[in-house]
Amino acid sequence: MRRWRATLALMLVVGLLAAGHAAEAVPGIAPWGTKQILTSGGLFHVATDGTTTVVGDYKWQTGTGEAHVYSWNGSFWAWQQTLTSPLPPPPAGGDGFGFAVEVHGNVIVVGQHAGGAASAHVFEYATGSWGHTATINEANGRGLALWGTTIAATTEVGTVVTYDLVGGTWTSADTLSPATAHGGCEFGYSIDLHEDVLIAGDYFSHDPCDPAVHVFRRSGGVWALVQELGQPSGNGYLEGWTAVWGD
C-alpha cells in the first residue's frame, strides 16, 4: 500500500466525513469533493493505492458492514461503489464486513470478522465495476495484506497464509508462523506486504507475551522468516499496526 503524505491527508479527510464531520480544507491540498454515504457509529479502516481508496464501515453490534470505494479523477476523490458481504447476514449482531480493507490495482480485499462469519472477500474491477470473485474462508478477517497477485491473510489458528493468483484463481501458496510461540501474543494481528517482503505484527492480548514484528522474505516462490524485531525497551507492549515499503 503506497503511503504518501497527500494520501495520508486524504485518509484523514475521508475519516472525518465518515464520522459525520464536515470536510475542511487541508493546507496545500485542494478541497475534497467526496460523496459520503457512510453512517455514523461504524468503525472503519482505510486503504489506498494512490488512485483507489477503500473505506471500511465495520459493524459488529448490529447492521450490515460496507466498504466504500472512491476513485481519483484527477481533481478529487469521487465515490465509485459500495461493497457488501456475499454471505447471508448473521441471525444476530453485525456481520463484521469491512473490519479490514486492502487495495492494489484492480483488486480489493475486505475482511469480515463477526457473527461467526470470519473470512476475507476478493473483489476485482472489470467492465466498469467491482465484482466479488473469491472468498478466503481460512482468513479471520482482521489481518490482511495485498500486493500485485499475492494476498496474505491471518487465520484463527495463529498463522498467516499467502495466496497467489494462478490461472485466474486465488490459490493457497504458503503458511507462515513465528519461530517460537509467543504465549498471549496474537501473531499476525496486523500484516503488510510489499513485493517480496511481508511483515506480521503480534498483538499483546494477555500474559505471558513477548511480542515481536516478524519479517519474511520470498525467494523462488517460498517465504522464509528472516528476522524478528522486538520491543527496544523490553517492556512487552509492542502492539498495534505494521507497515512496510521497499526492501
Side-chain angles (χ1 to χ4, degrees):
M1 227 174 15
R2 298 189 177 101
R3 291 172 172 84
W4 302 320
R5 290 185 178 179
T7 296
L8 292 174
L10 156 72
M11 293 192 292
L12 289 173
V13 172
V14 171
L16 287 171
L17 288 167
H21 298 282
E24 297 180 2
V26 178
I29 298 179
W32 303 98
T34 304
K35 182 185 295 183
Q36 272 296 336
I37 59 171
L38 305 185
T39 57
S40 62
L43 304 177
F44 51 87
H45 289 182
V46 179
T48 187
D49 67 355
T51 58
T52 301
T53 291
V54 185
V55 181
D57 188 14
Y58 154 67
K59 304 291 197 311
W60 67 277
Q61 290 182 319
T62 184
T64 300
E66 299 173 326
H68 305 287
V69 184
Y70 298 85
S71 178
W72 179 251
N73 66 9
S75 299
F76 60 89
W77 294 89
W79 174 83
Q80 186 180 41
Q81 190 173 336
T82 297
L83 310 178
T84 57
S85 173
L87 301 180
D95 69 358
F97 183 82
F99 187 97
V101 293
E102 287 289 335
V103 58
H104 190 226
N106 66 342
V107 179
I108 291 173
V109 186
V110 182
Q112 183 166 357
H113 182 79
S119 55
H121 307 286
V122 183
F123 299 83
E124 297 183 52
Y125 188 79
T127 64
S129 65
W130 295 90
H132 177 259
T133 58
T135 293
I136 299 174
N137 292 311
E138 285 182 282
N140 67 9
R142 294 186 299 186
L144 287 177
L146 166 67
W147 184 269
T149 57
T150 299
I151 294 172
T154 303
T155 72
E156 292 284 17
V157 296
T159 61
V160 172
V161 177
T162 63
Y163 301 83
D164 291 336
L165 186 60
V166 180
T169 301
W170 292 95
T171 304
S172 177
D174 211 341
T175 299
L176 314 181
S177 58
T180 305
H182 287 256
C185 298
E186 296 183 36
F187 171 74
Y189 186 88
S190 174
I191 57 179
D192 201 14
L193 172 66
H194 180 255
E195 295 180 343
D196 293 319
V197 177
L198 183 150
I199 59 174
D202 290 333
Y203 180 78
F204 180 89
S205 58
H206 61 273
D207 290 322
C209 176
D210 184 19
V213 175
H214 313 267
V215 184
F216 298 84
R217 183 176 291 274
R218 178 170 52 187
S219 178
V222 178
W223 291 94
L225 179 66
V226 295
Q227 191 173 0
E228 292 187 326
L229 311 175
Q231 178 81 340
S233 62
N235 64 12
Y237 283 90
L238 181 70
E239 58 183 276
W241 304 109
T242 57
V244 63
W245 182 264
D247 295 331

